[in-house]
Amino acid sequence: MLAKTKHFMKQANLIGGEWVQADSGAMQGVTNPANGLEIGQVPTSGAVETERAIAAAAKAFETFKKTTANERATMMRRMYEAMLDNVDALAELLTMEQGKPLFEAKGEITIGANYILWFAEEARRAYGRTVPSPWADRRIMVTKEPVGVVAAITPWNFPSSMLARKIGPAIAAGCTSVIKPAAQTPFSSLAWGVLAEEAGIPPGVINVVTGKASEIGGELTRNPLVKKMTFTGSTAVGKMLIRQCADTVKKVSMELGGNAPFIIFDDADIDRAVEGAIAAKYRNSGQTCVCTNRFYVQSSVYDEFVTKMTKAVEALRVGPSLDGNNDQGPLIDEAAVQKVEELLADAVEKGGKVVTGGARHELGGSFFQPTLVADATTDMRFSREEIFGPLAPVFKFESEDEAIQMANDTEFGLACYFYTQDLGRTYRVMEGLNYGLVGVNEGVITTPEAPFGGVKESGLGAEGGAEGIYEYLDTKYTCIGGLGL
Ligand code: NAP
């Protein structure tokens, strides 16, 4: 482990500027999914510690909300620089707890840094407006104000960048936060606490609590001092948090599950489609919310796509991620492997053909072979359920309308992709797909400059883009009368 990695690996919670343990002293282990070995421990905190963190955030908000946008932007720029200066250490920490290849971890740290920079710039553009008044002697003003204390709950698949998309706009807007990371990957979130300290962000602006999910989530949603909940994770937990937030009418932003279709039309550049398909399916071992869940290929190019895709899948190198030479690491845990096995068995039973892969990898543990299943049909479970693993089902379709209908036949609406070289078709299909994110002839499209968010049961609100900061701002209308005009 790099010396700098140890520096970022905090085995404590951050509350009001102090690194502290749980009141009970209880700790929970964090393991490396590549070898099952414990890499460290974090406090098992609960409702009491969370209440304390919320109080610290509320106290810090009283002064932080008065800082200027310029002051906040300056702190955030320092945070951005600190991240870039420490990419290697932060990426090593991320790979150790999450398992993704080192090059992907470096990419995640870099994009997280870019979100911070983007929101540092957006802080200075959180404009209100003046409105032409219908009254001769009154004036109308619309201003934006920080919502207050924000609760942020994040998943294990992008433990660093998912948080960048939340604390970036929160700090930019002048809000303070209480963060609860996923149990499997708390260190990358705790590292944000170190970065915040080093960037001169005042104590209490960023608080991080690890431990019992339902107790921490219960307090974050119950406590009236919390004004907003921002969550990234499964649709089931997201729905529960929305319900819990109802009693105190908190603002909510939800980045939930996906079931991304990837459509290849007969006029597509198939080689380009294969390249995009590999990135959109196997990145992070298939464990991203925007990962392709269903490939739809037009019948006349079906065999060509399957042949070329199989070759590309077989070229993927699987192995421990810290080696730096591999394209695919382990899955996050044994339960994730079992889910892939179940979906695969269901598909095979219903006539799916395993073209390559199809079993656990010889490395053992939670390594799984990159897998491709042809002859997929809509009665197979992966047609509806998020796979979250390196398994690519390939369905066949005949017409454009059929492809759109199949792609939309899900309660999810996060990302979708399609490949065509026909301009008219590009617009028809783009407008026909009920999704928040559309990649046309591209398999990876996330960038801080663009809004990221789903429709239907994939979520509420957007992270990034010009939209991102407004999720952390309230709108105030002021009418000034008696002006004697
Ligand atoms: P998850 O089980 O919903 O967990 C996400 C977070 O919620 C974790 O921090 C977890 O804590 C916490 N949590 C669980 N139960 C809770 C409760 N009762 N109260 C409060 N918090 C609770 O999801 P996951 O398996 O980690 O992540 C994968 C899912 O996230 C997939 O569905 C994926 O599509 C989605 N995702 C969506 C996006 C997006 O931008 N739309 C991005 C990434 C991932 P513990 O770890 O302590 O249980």
Side-chain angles (χ1 to χ4, degrees):
M1 196 192 302
L2 299 168
K4 237 355 197 352
T5 308
K6 281 205 186 99
H7 166 75
F8 283 110
M9 196 175 129
K10 284 284 185 187
Q11 306 195 57
N13 285 175
L14 180 61
I15 299 180
E18 305 285 333
W19 290 99
V20 294
Q21 299 302 323
D23 287 6
S24 65
M27 303 286 278
Q28 56 196 50
V30 179
T31 54
N32 181 341
N35 55 23
L37 299 177
E38 186 170 288
I39 57 174
Q41 296 194 336
V42 293
T44 306
S45 295
V48 177
E49 294 86 350
T50 306
E51 188 175 12
R52 215 172 283 145
I54 295 168
K59 182 161 176 261
F61 180 64
E62 288 312 309
T63 45
F64 196 59
K65 69 181 178 190
K66 294 182 183 144
T67 54
T68 65
N70 227 4
E71 286 167 336
R72 296 193 296 277
T74 303
M75 293 174 207
M76 292 178 74
R77 278 181 174 276
R78 286 198 293 261
M79 213 172 185
Y80 164 77
E81 298 290 348
M83 288 189 80
L84 292 191
D85 289 347
N86 293 288
V87 170
D88 289 341
L90 293 165
E92 186 178 55
L93 187 60
L94 173 42
T95 288
M96 277 168 56
E97 64 177 354
Q98 204 277 340
K100 68 179 61 179
L102 209 47
F103 77 91
E104 283 191 20
K106 285 183 189 174
E108 181 177 341
I109 299 300
T110 307
I111 196 167
N114 287 336
Y115 270 102
I116 296 297
L117 180 62
W118 169 258
F119 283 112
E121 292 160 346
E122 286 296 282
R124 294 155 63 194
R125 300 186 197 115
Y127 305 127
R129 64 192 198 278
T130 57
V131 178
S133 172
W135 303 287
D137 64 340
R138 301 190 210 172
R139 292 294 178 265
I140 291 178
M141 246 176 15
V142 180
T143 49
K144 298 285 175 186
E145 297 183 349
V147 296
V149 176
V150 172
I153 302 183
T154 49
W156 50 262
N157 62 347
F158 287 92
S160 184
S161 65
M162 290 298 116
L163 201 45
R165 302 202 313 205
K166 301 183 186 308
I167 59 173
I171 298 171
C175 298
T176 57
S177 305
V178 179
I179 296 154
K180 186 244 164 285
Q184 290 104 326
T185 56
F187 288 123
S188 296
S189 301
L190 290 161
W192 278 105
V194 181
L195 289 162
E197 281 180 332
E198 291 178 359
I201 291 178
V205 171
I206 297 288
N207 304 274
V208 190
V209 183
T210 55
K212 300 173 195 159
S214 57
E215 269 196 38
I216 298 171
E219 182 60 26
L220 289 173
T221 48
R222 183 204 64 79
N223 197 312
L225 291 174
V226 175
K227 301 299 179 201
K228 179 188 169 74
M229 163 65 67
T230 170
F231 172 75
T232 299
S234 63
T235 296
V237 174
K239 284 180 183 178
M240 191 190 69
L241 292 173
I242 295 171
R243 278 185 217 113
Q244 289 177 202
C245 284
D247 283 343
T248 46
V249 194
K250 297 187 199 314
K251 258 184 185 311
V252 291
S253 296
M254 294 280 146
E255 296 290 347
L256 308 176
N259 181 0
F262 190 113
I263 309 170
I264 297 135
F265 289 102
D266 54 9
D267 62 299
D269 174 339
I270 302 293
D271 292 330
R272 188 180 174 90
V274 168
E275 205 180 299
I278 291 288
K281 175 69 242 182
Y282 296 98
R283 194 164 57 105
N284 201 9
S285 305
Q287 305 171 110
T288 86
C289 53
V290 292
C291 265
T292 301
N293 214 53
R294 301 166 288 153
F295 285 95
Y296 293 111
V297 188
Q298 202 151 13
S299 56
S300 59
V301 292
Y302 188 89
D303 291 343
E304 182 188 355
F305 175 77
V306 170
T307 304
K308 288 182 169 171
M309 183 73 179
T310 302
K311 199 167 160 224
V313 173
E314 287 174 349
L316 292 172
R317 295 158 302 178
V318 179
S321 302
L322 284 174
D323 284 5
N325 296 319
N326 296 313
D327 304 303
Q328 189 187 292
L331 300 198
I332 189 73
D333 55 23
E334 173 60 22
V337 178
Q338 285 176 10
K339 171 101 191 271
V340 174
E341 284 183 323
E342 267 179 38
L343 295 179
L344 192 59
D346 169 75
V348 170
E349 195 190 309
K350 292 171 181 159
K353 185 174 152 215
V354 178
V355 183
T356 186
R360 287 172 187 253
H361 195 273
E362 61 194 18
L363 286 167
S366 59
F367 287 94
F368 201 87
Q369 294 173 349
T371 298
L372 189 136
V373 173
D375 299 339
T377 50
T378 52
D379 59 336
M380 295 174 184
R381 277 177 56 191
F382 48 43
S383 161
R384 313 233 146 252
E385 293 177 41
E386 210 175 3
I387 301 169
F388 243 57
L391 160 60
V394 192
F395 301 74
K396 195 179 281 183
F397 71 88
E398 300 297 333
S399 70
E400 192 179 295
D401 284 348
E402 185 191 4
I404 295 172
Q405 181 271 323
M406 288 171 102
N408 284 338
D409 187 18
T410 166
E411 69 270 26
F412 295 106
L414 187 57
C416 64
Y417 311 88
F418 64 92
Y419 279 65
T420 179
Q421 302 197 71
D422 178 316
L423 190 57
R425 171 172 273 169
T426 298
Y427 276 90
R428 282 194 305 276
V429 178
M430 182 270 281
E431 289 170 7
L433 289 169
N434 300 326
Y435 286 84
L437 312 169
V438 187
V440 186
N441 299 326
E442 294 294 342
V444 179
I445 62 171
T446 307
T447 181
E449 291 80 0
F452 184 106
V455 297
K456 294 160 79 178
E457 293 190 19
S458 285
L460 292 169
E463 295 190 324
E467 289 82 353
I469 195 167
Y470 291 103
E471 303 277 337
Y472 295 79
L473 292 165
D474 283 329
T475 298
K476 183 176 274 178
Y477 154 50
T478 307
C479 175
I480 308 174
L483 294 170
L485 297 170

